[in-house]
Amino acid sequence: MASASLQFFAFILAVFGVFGDIAATLLPNWKVNADVGSNIITAITQMQGLWMDCTWYSTGMFSCTLKYSVLSLPVYIQAARTTMVLSCILSAFGICITTVGMKCTKLGGDTDSKSHACFAGGVCFILAGIFGLVPTSWYTREIISSFLDQTIPESSKHEPGGAVYTGFISAGFLLIAGVIFCTSCFKKQQGAWIYPPKQHHFPSTEQESNAGYNLQDYV
């Protein structure tokens, strides 16, 4: 019962991680540059994401430009696109597999099949968390290195946006969920390895009948 509740908790974390992963992939605010200028009326906020760049004016105007050319993008953005998409796909597969393997569901057949499915889903969550953690860390490193560079003007420097923090949190949720699913599947098997079942030896009826027959011969 406790293991089923723990798996359900991990499943909730994984669902939040999947939605956060998808949101972080699509949001345009991976890095933000706020340029107030001399007049608050002309203040603008420039945001850059994996797929588009957006500009928000204080007057309420909002415009975005898609990044059509892939080869013109920096390497860390190309890698972030690929790994975040892989993270979304793996986490979605993990949701489908763990739905079959969870102990609180009636899908997946016997206990061994459900344990294997649950473990496979946990591995998918762990890989999705790693694929989501790598691009956010690399992207944050590029932002910080360019922010500390003295040769870059202040107007061209950026800070990490909300999508980066969303990606970090979602990757953490997926990693925790994957570890819980993987460990919950092997608790019962590990106990069986440590404490093997006792084998009861019962004398065969054939030996008893033969012994009785031999005793009768001596009487």
XYZ file of all heavy atoms in Angstrom, residues 3 24 26 31 47 53 56 66-67 92 95-96 98 105 123 129 131 133 144 164 175 184 202 206:
187
model
N 3.961 1.441 -1.093
C 4.634 1.529 -2.387
C 3.700 2.078 -3.458
O 4.118 2.863 -4.310
C 5.154 0.148 -2.788
O 5.806 0.206 -4.028
N 8.522 24.992 -20.908
C 9.857 25.567 -21.029
C 10.369 25.499 -22.462
O 11.088 26.398 -22.917
C 10.824 24.840 -20.093
N 8.561 25.706 -25.199
C 7.824 26.619 -26.089
C 7.922 28.070 -25.678
O 7.718 28.957 -26.517
C 6.348 26.200 -26.135
C 6.065 24.796 -26.687
C 4.573 24.493 -26.636
C 6.588 24.654 -28.110
N 16.024 33.969 -22.167
C 16.837 35.062 -21.641
C 16.129 36.379 -21.916
O 15.475 36.559 -22.951
C 18.250 35.063 -22.218
C 18.364 35.112 -23.723
C 19.841 35.052 -24.105
C 20.037 35.046 -25.613
N 21.480 34.994 -25.972
N 12.980 39.483 -25.220
C 13.059 38.092 -24.780
C 13.495 37.217 -25.937
O 13.054 37.413 -27.069
C 11.700 37.621 -24.246
C 11.197 38.397 -23.043
S 9.550 37.860 -22.501
C 8.550 38.422 -23.882
N 12.041 35.120 -30.990
C 12.457 36.278 -30.211
C 11.287 37.247 -30.138
O 10.646 37.533 -31.164
C 13.667 36.968 -30.849
C 14.889 36.064 -30.890
O 14.954 35.135 -30.067
O 15.762 36.295 -31.755
N 8.492 43.210 -26.024
C 7.298 43.753 -25.373
C 7.555 45.209 -25.027
O 8.545 45.543 -24.375
C 6.962 42.962 -24.111
C 5.749 43.466 -23.389
C 4.455 43.193 -23.677
C 5.729 44.338 -22.254
N 3.615 43.845 -22.803
C 4.373 44.551 -21.915
C 6.721 44.962 -21.495
C 3.994 45.370 -20.861
C 6.338 45.774 -20.440
C 4.996 45.961 -20.125
N 9.985 34.549 -35.532
C 10.398 33.150 -35.486
C 11.823 32.995 -36.008
O 12.263 33.734 -36.895
C 9.437 32.291 -36.312
C 8.006 32.180 -35.801
C 7.153 31.391 -36.788
C 7.969 31.506 -34.433
N 12.510 32.010 -35.463
C 13.865 31.690 -35.905
C 13.774 30.575 -36.936
O 13.754 29.396 -36.603
C 14.723 31.255 -34.715
C 14.912 32.339 -33.663
C 15.738 31.824 -32.491
C 15.939 32.903 -31.449
N 16.723 32.440 -30.283
N 6.841 11.885 -22.107
C 5.513 11.434 -22.526
C 5.445 9.909 -22.591
O 4.449 9.300 -22.169
C 5.159 12.039 -23.885
N 5.127 8.583 -19.056
C 3.765 8.675 -18.519
C 2.919 7.500 -18.998
O 2.187 6.864 -18.217
C 3.120 10.003 -18.935
C 3.773 11.180 -18.191
C 1.619 9.999 -18.666
C 3.486 11.219 -16.720
N 3.023 7.176 -20.283
C 2.229 6.071 -20.828
C 2.648 4.731 -20.228
O 1.799 3.896 -19.892
C 2.373 6.035 -22.351
S 1.749 7.498 -23.205
N 4.355 4.084 -17.314
C 4.098 3.954 -15.884
C 2.611 3.850 -15.568
O 2.241 3.284 -14.529
C 4.687 5.145 -15.114
O 4.229 6.380 -15.711
C 6.202 5.102 -15.139
N -3.148 0.567 -10.723
C -3.926 0.359 -11.938
C -4.112 -1.129 -12.190
O -3.349 -1.967 -11.684
C -3.233 1.007 -13.151
O -1.941 0.412 -13.336
C -3.070 2.500 -12.939
N 13.102 4.734 -16.015
C 14.294 5.030 -16.816
C 14.006 6.150 -17.816
O 14.843 7.043 -18.039
C 14.774 3.759 -17.531
C 15.882 4.077 -18.530
C 15.268 2.736 -16.523
N 14.805 13.768 -17.553
C 15.334 14.779 -16.644
C 16.753 15.188 -17.004
O 17.109 16.374 -16.922
N 18.131 15.003 -20.059
C 18.044 15.769 -21.297
C 17.479 17.172 -21.061
O 17.752 18.089 -21.837
C 17.171 15.034 -22.317
C 17.894 13.930 -23.035
C 17.299 12.695 -23.208
C 19.162 14.118 -23.543
C 17.953 11.664 -23.861
C 19.826 13.101 -24.194
C 19.228 11.869 -24.354
N 17.974 18.827 -18.113
C 18.908 19.542 -17.249
C 20.128 20.039 -18.012
O 20.669 21.113 -17.692
C 19.349 18.620 -16.114
C 20.123 19.242 -14.956
C 19.279 20.290 -14.255
C 20.566 18.163 -13.983
N 25.423 33.766 -18.350
C 26.265 34.340 -17.302
C 27.620 34.759 -17.857
O 28.154 35.837 -17.506
C 26.430 33.329 -16.152
C 25.089 33.088 -15.466
C 27.457 33.823 -15.136
C 25.120 32.007 -14.413
N 13.985 29.203 -18.250
C 15.146 28.472 -17.734
C 14.839 27.891 -16.356
O 15.125 26.714 -16.079
C 16.373 29.400 -17.682
C 17.546 28.688 -17.021
C 16.753 29.842 -19.084
N 13.509 13.722 -12.582
C 14.547 12.886 -11.986
C 14.057 12.220 -10.705
O 14.288 11.023 -10.473
C 15.794 13.733 -11.705
C 16.625 14.147 -12.920
C 17.726 15.113 -12.505
C 17.231 12.936 -13.607
N 11.109 1.628 -6.353
C 9.916 0.953 -5.827
C 9.678 -0.391 -6.489
O 9.021 -1.265 -5.906
C 8.680 1.841 -6.026
O 8.412 2.035 -7.408
N 9.110 -32.724 2.559
C 8.152 -33.697 3.088
C 8.554 -35.093 2.619
O 8.883 -35.271 1.422
C 6.728 -33.385 2.610
C 6.231 -32.064 3.095
C 6.272 -30.963 2.255
C 5.725 -31.916 4.383
C 5.824 -29.743 2.702
C 5.269 -30.693 4.815
C 5.317 -29.598 3.984
N 5.830 -42.845 -0.980
C 6.345 -44.106 -1.495
C 7.364 -44.708 -0.553
O 7.396 -45.916 -0.320
C 6.970 -43.879 -2.871
C 7.452 -45.165 -3.537
C 8.013 -44.908 -4.912
O 7.955 -43.744 -5.339
O 8.491 -45.865 -5.540
